[in-house]
Amino acid sequence: MAEERPGPWFGFGFCGFGQELGSGRGRQVHSPSPLRAGVDICRVSASWSYTAFVTRGGRLELSGSASGAAVRCKDAWASEGLLAVLRAGPGREALLQVWAPESALRGEPLWAQNVVPEAEGEDDPVGEAQAGSLPLLPCARAYVSPRAPFYRPLAPELRARQLELGAEHALLLDAAGQVFSWGGGRHGQLGHGTLEAELEPRLLEALQGLVMAEVAAGGWHSVCVSETGDIYIWGWNESGQLALPTRNLAEDGETVAREATELNEDGSQVKRTDGAEDGAPAPFIAVQPFPALLDLPMGSDAVKASCGSRHTAVVTREWGKYGQLGHEDTTSLDRPRRVEYFVDKQLQVKAVTCGPWNTYVYAVEKGKS
């Protein structure tokens, strides 16, 4: 099989701070647009007001409210409070640096530490996690925090494979495919059936027995992808980011009939209106505190997922389906819808990364691999 040729990255969504979103002008890009250096980019991390791009040659470039560049970079993680950069060191070592985004990567970082990956083998099943992307560190025993102390150790029993940080919560995928969550829970984003916070990582009992391959944390919602290609999603649904019915969108696009407000046993809010297909009231889901199985169109299998502040993006085995949003308009949706741009261009989506209000996609020509 021929080696796959690098493809371009595309961007769409909010760019009010001048973030690189292809050839977009103004504050929004409604349809996927190629990034100028798209073919050379290997990693993207987007915060609210700026985006960090890492190229295959190890160059880091910032775009938006923060600017600047650095070399010998392996990875970067952007947030409004800090920019974490993993730079190549001697041998297998790496240098972790934490910068103020407005520093333009000049002068001295706020904090720095050498990171030495653990030796492979010797009862360590997390080989692929050693090279995992930020905020999980290569040693897989600690992670970068957006607030000091910037270096946070993980419990020894947590064999970390992937870590995702949302606005107020964290999701961890371990080597066995189990999911743990902790942090704020007032929007149901922890998936434990309550709206309570968890100070320590807690296993999602609702997903026990299911092997997960990937997790994603949004503003106040969460997603995970199973090894069999199923999507489970939970948390806040104000903009339809869970692909479940939401009142805001129903009122925008439909006539809302008789409405009643109820409280679930866990205190979460459910609003109902007439109009379900079977004649029963259709539920409006404001908060989904347990993981819910999401049916993708045409029985598609998911391989990757990413979450923004109020939107969700999923890559399937055949094509990309997205929810900011790439549909050539600004309409919110509470059901999955394919981004036709990639179908029309005969591009196969390989990766997706959501910023709070925008989306970046990596795609290659279909049939070239």
Side-chain angles (χ1 to χ4, degrees), residues 166-328:
E168 297 176 348
H169 73 297
L171 294 179
L172 182 144
L173 178 68
D174 76 357
Q178 298 183 107
V179 180
F180 295 77
S181 66
W182 68 98
R186 58 180 176 158
H187 294 94
Q189 64 265 50
L190 298 184
H192 301 303
T194 73
L195 308 184
E196 301 296 322
E198 295 287 341
L199 299 181
E200 300 293 335
R202 177 180 170 185
L203 177 68
L204 261 73
E205 297 177 359
L207 297 177
Q208 276 193 285
L210 301 171
V211 181
M212 296 297 151
E214 183 160 314
V215 294
W220 295 282
H221 69 293
S222 305
V223 176
C224 61
V225 181
S226 75
E227 285 196 341
T228 58
D230 291 326
I231 287 277
Y232 294 86
I233 193 164
W234 63 95
W236 197 40
N237 193 50
E238 181 267 349
S239 296
Q241 55 265 53
L242 304 188
L244 298 173
T246 179
R247 181 168 185 243
N248 288 351
L249 302 188
E251 288 186 336
D252 287 343
E254 302 175 7
T255 301
V256 178
R258 180 177 53 83
E259 177 181 289
T261 300
E262 301 177 0
L263 288 179
N264 288 326
E265 292 181 1
D266 58 26
S268 59
Q269 189 179 69
V270 175
K271 293 190 175 182
R272 298 178 178 273
T273 186
D274 291 336
E277 292 182 2
D278 59 1
F284 287 140
I285 309 297
V287 170
Q288 174 69 33
F290 280 111
L293 178 62
L294 173 62
D295 290 326
L296 292 175
M298 299 177 288
S300 302
D301 290 336
V303 291
K304 294 183 180 297
S306 185
C307 298
S309 179
R310 302 182 186 184
H311 73 290
T312 303
V314 174
V315 178
T316 69
R317 295 192 192 280
E318 296 180 353
W319 301 103
K321 295 178 172 62
Y322 300 100
Q324 193 83 338
L325 286 176
H327 302 312
E328 299 186 359

Side-chain angles (χ1 to χ4, degrees), residues 8-348:
W9 279 82
F10 298 81
F12 46 96
F14 175 75
C15 56
F17 293 93
Q19 302 97 313
E20 166 67 57
L21 282 179
S23 58
R25 297 290 186 269
R27 297 178 61 84
Q28 298 183 54
V29 176
H30 294 162
S31 180
S33 184
L35 305 184
R36 288 173 297 171
V39 175
D40 195 38
I41 294 171
C42 64
R43 293 185 183 273
V44 176
S45 180
S47 185
W48 163 250
S49 65
Y50 74 101
T51 304
F53 303 99
V54 180
T55 70
R56 299 179 191 279
R59 181 176 174 82
L60 168 65
E61 296 186 4
L62 307 181
S63 173
S65 66
S67 60
V71 296
R72 296 176 40 249
C73 295
K74 303 171 67 174
D75 197 6
W77 181 58
S79 73
E80 289 302 288
L82 63 82
L83 170 68
V85 180
L86 197 63
R87 308 184 76 169
R92 297 177 64 246
E93 289 188 6
L95 175 63
L96 175 66
Q97 297 178 329
V98 171
W99 297 82
E102 63 273 15
S103 70
L105 297 169
R106 297 195 183 108
E108 294 296 323
L110 297 175
W111 179 86
Q113 177 170 320
N114 288 323
V115 178
V116 181
E118 294 178 352
E120 297 181 12
E122 297 187 3
D123 194 32
D124 184 5
V126 203
E128 69 179 76
Q130 306 298 338
S133 59
L134 295 175
L136 184 65
L137 292 169
C139 60
R141 299 294 188 190
Y143 66 96
V144 183
S145 167
R147 289 174 293 275
F150 301 121
Y151 185 91
R152 299 280 181 90
L154 290 166
E157 64 271 16
L158 292 178
R159 318 284 294 178
R161 178 171 150 196
Q162 183 188 359
L163 177 74
E164 295 289 322
L165 302 184
E168 297 176 348
H169 73 297
L171 294 179
L172 182 144
L173 178 68
D174 76 357
Q178 298 183 107
V179 180
F180 295 77
S181 66
W182 68 98
R186 58 180 176 158
H187 294 94
Q189 64 265 50
L190 298 184
H192 301 303
T194 73
L195 308 184
E196 301 296 322
E198 295 287 341
L199 299 181
E200 300 293 335
R202 177 180 170 185
L203 177 68
L204 261 73
E205 297 177 359
L207 297 177
Q208 276 193 285
L210 301 171
V211 181
M212 296 297 151
E214 183 160 314
V215 294
W220 295 282
H221 69 293
S222 305
V223 176
C224 61
V225 181
S226 75
E227 285 196 341
T228 58
D230 291 326
I231 287 277
Y232 294 86
I233 193 164
W234 63 95
W236 197 40
N237 193 50
E238 181 267 349
S239 296
Q241 55 265 53
L242 304 188
L244 298 173
T246 179
R247 181 168 185 243
N248 288 351
L249 302 188
E251 288 186 336
D252 287 343
E254 302 175 7
T255 301
V256 178
R258 180 177 53 83
E259 177 181 289
T261 300
E262 301 177 0
L263 288 179
N264 288 326
E265 292 181 1
D266 58 26
S268 59
Q269 189 179 69
V270 175
K271 293 190 175 182
R272 298 178 178 273
T273 186
D274 291 336
E277 292 182 2
D278 59 1
F284 287 140
I285 309 297
V287 170
Q288 174 69 33
F290 280 111
L293 178 62
L294 173 62
D295 290 326
L296 292 175
M298 299 177 288
S300 302
D301 290 336
V303 291
K304 294 183 180 297
S306 185
C307 298
S309 179
R310 302 182 186 184
H311 73 290
T312 303
V314 174
V315 178
T316 69
R317 295 192 192 280
E318 296 180 353
W319 301 103
K321 295 178 172 62
Y322 300 100
Q324 193 83 338
L325 286 176
H327 302 312
E328 299 186 359
D329 57 32
T330 58
T331 304
S332 296
L333 298 172
D334 58 9
R335 62 190 182 280
R337 178 180 166 189
R338 184 169 65 185
V339 177
E340 297 296 336
Y341 176 93
F342 298 105
V343 180
D344 296 341
K345 299 293 184 181
Q346 288 291 299
L347 294 172
Q348 185 173 9

